[in-house]
Amino acid sequence: MKMYTATISASALKVRSRESYYARQKRLFFLVIILVPIIPLLFISWTASRFYQQSWMDKTTVELTSLANSRREIIDLFLDNQKNTLAGYAELYDFAWLNTPGNLEKLFKAMNHQGVIVDLGLITQDGSHRSYTGPFADNLKDKNYAKTRWFAEVMQSGNYISDVFTGYRGVPHIIVAVTDPSRSWVLRATINSELFNSLLAGTEVGPGGDAFILNQQGELQTPSRLGLTALPLGEEGLLATDGSLTIHHSQDALYASTGMKNNTWTLVLKTDIATSLADFYRARHRDRLIIAGAALLILTVSNFLVRSMMNKIEGADQQRMQLYDRIRNSEKMALVGRMAANVAHEINNPLQIIGDQAGWVDELLDDEDPAQLKNSEEYRTAFAKIRTQVKRASTITHRLLGFSRSTDGLKTKININTLVEETVSFLEKEATNHRIAIRRNLDPDLPEIVTDSTQLQQVFLNILNNAIDAIGNDGAVTISSSLNEGQLAVEFADSGPGLSEEALKKVFDPFFTTKKAGSGTGIGLSISYSIVERLGGGIEVRNGKQGGCIFRVTLPMAA
Ligand code: ADP
């Protein structure tokens, strides 16, 4: 019993390990099928995205550099132009001429034909405003500039361009001032802020971009498009230039900064990365969605492919294993059969002799005087028992010889249904005694086949006998015959208890029996198996859906 349990768990373990092997293989195939297309897809998308971003960055850097250079040149030229024009006038005219009423207005008109300046003033060496033409006459007429920074600077260096400052007029403005060659008076013009700001306004820095000028303290000299009032925090590095053009890359913006106005100002151009790359980000998002969709499709298709492939592999493996089992079984049967037949052959002769001798001694007893024989009755009983047991043993040895019996030369043309009917006739009485019905479901159009009818009948008898034994009392055996794919099939389905999984595997093993000692030998089905195999057919057993066993014997049509 213990051995039996151990065998079950070993085979259960085998099944389990096979299942886990298939599950592992399934996972592996699945992974390979998915990763092989998806990894290159992701890689291509990643490199394409990086390549596009990098080339955009390179292109924008070049554009920003050339834009910053051209703007700086334009603005520097504009300021220098105003300064040089003013210096030219200061050299051309003397203080007296300029101070003569109406002359400063003439000069203002000459210089301002494009609206470049808003006012013009003449200031003496001591800082007092001597003559003025422009809109702020009331504010500035009597002012003295001796203490202002710009006045000190212009007196010292001969010319000066200021930062944006509010001054006495209370409005942000830039002034350009020059002295006469002997530095005894100053000619000062105020730059038109709107015109000046427009020099930067048209700069192409893209959506979300900005362009402005900073002084050395980081104060804005022109308005910012984004409404900045001071240098953004964290971008102080923009000021730390030696005047040359530098490209500065922050988290979300690309800056070009360059010194101008003798490095007293910094021109800053900014391109917003996120806004400029918005189209690219949209395209990248769409690409990612497409890749995700493709991945999903690959996932579904691979799942389907792997499943069907693994099912096929599993099916093929199972078929192969069944074939191995059958081959192993046939070899085992052939070996055991040969051994059994040899043993039967050897035992048959001594049995014959024992039987004959017992019969002869029994006959000799007839010649004896019964009065002389005290135990005559006991002798006769003993001889009868010897003959019975010898007969039983001979039956077994004769059956065992079935393993080696050749089928050559004994084949005849038979109708399988007739053979079934003959077999049933042998056992019908016994079946009726046990209230077991034998039903037929025979195909009347079966062709005749050439086979060994005696041995085939032994097979049918054995199967039918077993079915009646298994049912015991009250039940039915249904025998069906049919023609399928060039093979004749005869099925015996009984209403007995059926067989356990383990017994199903062993039922054709020699000496496997569940019958009690003395009533079963366990060789009937193994002999049947080797007979049917020799006849070129096969025999299988399974449990029926409604219980009971179904034995199916198949036979080839050709001899
Ligand atoms: P024996 O009948 O001498 O035991 P067999 O080789 O004919 O030897 O049968 C082997 C065993 O197969 C039987 O002991 C029985 O357990 C089982 N068997 C055969 N046919 C049936 C059946 N129809 N239903 C249930 N068990 C069966």
Side-chain angles (χ1 to χ4, degrees), residues 99-147:
N99 201 26
T100 309
N103 283 353
L104 202 61
E105 282 79 7
K106 279 187 203 150
L107 211 58
F108 175 75
K109 274 189 193 138
M111 196 175 165
N112 197 33
H113 55 89
Q114 285 170 331
V116 179
I117 56 170
V118 288
D119 63 7
L120 198 61
L122 181 66
I123 299 141
T124 57
Q125 205 171 22
D126 59 359
S128 54
H129 217 163
R130 192 53 66 83
S131 179
Y132 174 83
T133 175
F136 299 101
D138 295 344
N139 283 24
L140 308 178
K141 214 168 35 193
D142 310 319
K143 292 287 182 247
N144 188 292
Y145 293 103
K147 293 217 166 62

Side-chain angles (χ1 to χ4, degrees), residues 541-556:
V541 61
R542 64 180 194 276
N543 282 323
K545 283 191 182 110
Q546 268 96 42
C549 273
I550 301 175
F551 279 87
R552 178 185 174 84
V553 177
T554 47
L555 293 161

Side-chain angles (χ1 to χ4, degrees), residues 377-414:
E377 270 317 298
E378 278 81 356
Y379 289 144
R380 286 197 187 278
T381 317
F383 286 131
K385 277 187 184 164
I386 291 173
R387 279 206 298 275
T388 311
Q389 293 310 316
V390 165
K391 203 171 161 207
R392 187 161 171 247
S394 300
T395 315
I396 295 176
T397 52
H398 272 106
R399 291 189 75 186
L400 281 176
L401 283 170
F403 272 123
S404 64
R405 201 167 293 144
S406 156
T407 54
D408 292 348
L410 296 169
K411 291 181 176 165
T412 49
K413 206 173 203 188
I414 59 151

Side-chain angles (χ1 to χ4, degrees), residues 399 462-471 492-494 496-499 503 506-516 519-528 541 543 548-551:
R399 291 189 75 186
N462 191 49
I463 295 174
L464 199 55
N465 218 357
N466 278 340
I468 293 171
D469 282 352
I471 295 169
F492 299 79
D494 64 59
L499 281 161
K506 293 182 167 180
V507 83
F508 296 111
D509 282 4
F511 309 112
F512 172 79
T513 180
T514 58
K515 294 176 185 167
K516 59 178 186 291
S519 58
T521 55
I523 54 173
L525 283 179
S526 52
I527 289 176
S528 302
V541 61
N543 282 323
C549 273
I550 301 175
F551 279 87

